[in-house]
Amino acid sequence: MIKQAIIPLAGLGTRLLPLTSVFAKELLPMNGKPGVEYILDECIEAGINEVIFIISNKKKIIKKYFYNDKRVIDEYKKIKKYKKMIKFVYQNKPLGTGDAVYKTKNKIKDNFFLMLLPDDLIIKKNCSKAMISIHKKKKCSVMASMKVQKKTVNRWGIYMKDKNIDKNNFFIKDVIEKPNIKTAPSNNAVIGRYILPKKIFGILKKQKKGKGGEIHITDAIRTLIKQNNKFIGHSFEGKYLDCGTMHGYIKSSLEIAKS
Ligand code: UTP
């Protein structure tokens, strides 16, 4: 059973500067509720009972938010429930997503765990829940997938597909970060929901810096695939909202308010 989730929150948020020089983008309200609470609700509904936040000293405001008791009573009850299930680990130097994940190595108890990237909101249908159910059947790693326009593949991580399992799921042969439009192996892009094996920590321990001098989680995933660990791509049914840029944040807020 997958009971633990990790949420990397220690990035710099450069696309939302100057706001992110004084504030955590994950606390920006969407229809009155901080973005990260949508992610927590997705976890709770998917049966997760412990969430590990990877923050940094610069993003302590996130911890403060959950530990601030000066609230009206209903709001307080809700936050108390979240607070009970959240643990914090620190990544004070943003060396990349792989390094952020590595910081949780002593906290993960089971063979698999869920990871959610908070910039990627998926509404209307719980993507984590659907992925956990596939994992239960196939006992392997699962990553979220979404078809993107062919002309935009160079902005995404793109799957090289192996055989289809059914209409929403396929085995992954490889993942290529931001491929050339001409040579991209598909237009199925990686979205920020992952069910990863605990053994990824052994790979991350030795992982060298990749593109842009960062330690990428995708590089560790590629190593696992090469070592014949099964990975499934799940084409989710919910609606994807990108909250990593100001334009995306505004669009997503309007979309959530409508739904
Ligand atoms: P991104 O690479 O999208 O970076 O990280 P970012 O900092 O959020 O935003 P930009 O690109 O600079 O505008 C994907 C996720 O991984 C986390 C981020 O907080 C984000 O949730 N992350 C990234 C870390 O926790 N640590 C890192 O070293 C890098």
Side-chain angles (χ1 to χ4, degrees):
M1 269 311 264
I2 298 203
K3 292 285 167 202
Q4 289 181 295
I6 68 172
I7 307 183
L9 299 149
L12 296 174
T14 48
R15 288 167 298 160
L16 276 170
L17 281 169
L19 195 84
T20 40
S21 64
V22 291
F23 196 66
K25 63 179 172 183
E26 297 82 4
L27 293 181
L28 287 174
M30 308 181 71
N31 205 27
K33 176 165 123 175
V36 71
E37 286 192 31
Y38 289 93
I39 300 279
L40 282 172
D41 289 342
E42 180 178 331
C43 288
I44 293 169
E45 206 196 298
I48 295 293
N49 60 21
E50 185 181 280
V51 180
I52 302 161
F53 276 17
I54 304 146
I55 59 168
S56 64
N57 283 333
K58 284 192 189 132
K59 295 186 87 170
K60 269 195 175 152
I61 189 172
I62 295 175
K63 185 167 184 185
K64 220 166 160 183
Y65 176 79
F66 290 96
Y67 280 72
N68 186 348
D69 294 342
K70 294 186 191 77
R71 298 169 198 270
V72 282
I73 197 78
D74 286 348
E75 180 68 3
Y76 179 68
K77 277 188 197 147
K78 193 181 74 176
I79 296 291
K80 216 168 145 186
K81 184 169 124 196
Y82 290 145
K83 186 168 143 184
K84 259 193 177 161
M85 67 186 288
I86 304 173
K87 285 192 175 137
F88 293 86
V89 300
Y90 286 80
Q91 185 209 24
N92 285 325
K93 280 192 200 138
L95 300 177
T97 46
D99 179 66
V101 172
Y102 189 66
K103 298 285 188 236
T104 67
K105 70 176 186 305
N106 295 328
K107 305 268 182 218
I108 298 296
K109 297 170 198 148
D110 300 325
N111 286 336
F112 287 88
F113 59 96
L114 174 71
M115 172 168 83
L116 304 94
L117 297 186
D119 277 354
D120 293 348
L121 281 192
I122 301 171
I123 59 166
K124 296 198 163 108
K125 187 107 198 221
N126 191 317
C127 177
S128 297
K129 198 173 173 179
M131 285 171 55
I132 288 174
S133 136
I134 297 153
H135 166 78
K136 258 195 205 161
K137 282 188 214 141
K138 302 283 182 190
K139 312 270 179 272
C140 66
S141 300
V142 187
M143 291 164 71
S145 165
M146 180 179 78
K147 277 207 186 313
V148 295
Q149 284 188 309
K150 287 209 169 67
K151 62 175 186 214
T152 69
V153 288
N154 58 356
R155 287 198 244 139
W156 304 84
I158 295 290
Y159 293 113
M160 182 185 281
K161 289 174 72 176
D162 207 335
K163 63 176 193 293
N164 282 330
I165 299 170
D166 54 38
K167 80 174 193 334
N168 291 328
N169 300 288
F170 56 89
F171 284 113
I172 300 167
K173 207 183 237 169
D174 202 356
V175 197
I176 325 288
E177 217 25 79
K178 302 183 175 64
N180 191 292
I181 297 175
K182 281 192 186 137
T183 56
S186 76
N187 64 333
N188 293 81
V190 180
I191 301 297
R193 300 289 180 277
Y194 308 70
I195 292 177
L196 297 171
K198 198 179 181 172
K199 62 168 123 161
I200 201 163
F201 295 114
I203 311 280
L204 287 170
K205 193 176 175 188
K206 294 180 247 154
Q207 174 97 26
K208 301 221 165 68
K209 288 176 183 168
K211 269 188 193 158
E214 286 192 25
I215 298 169
H216 298 286
I217 194 69
T218 319
D219 292 339
I221 291 170
R222 291 188 81 183
T223 305
L224 284 173
I225 295 174
K226 280 197 189 113
Q227 293 176 351
N228 287 324
N229 293 281
K230 289 244 167 298
F231 273 72
I232 291 175
H234 169 66
S235 306
F236 58 87
E237 289 173 353
K239 189 173 173 59
Y240 167 74
L241 303 174
D242 169 21
C243 304
T245 63
M246 189 47 81
H247 176 71
Y249 165 66
I250 292 166
K251 252 180 80 181
S252 304
S253 306
L254 291 172
E255 192 68 44
I256 286 185
K258 268 196 315 201
S259 66

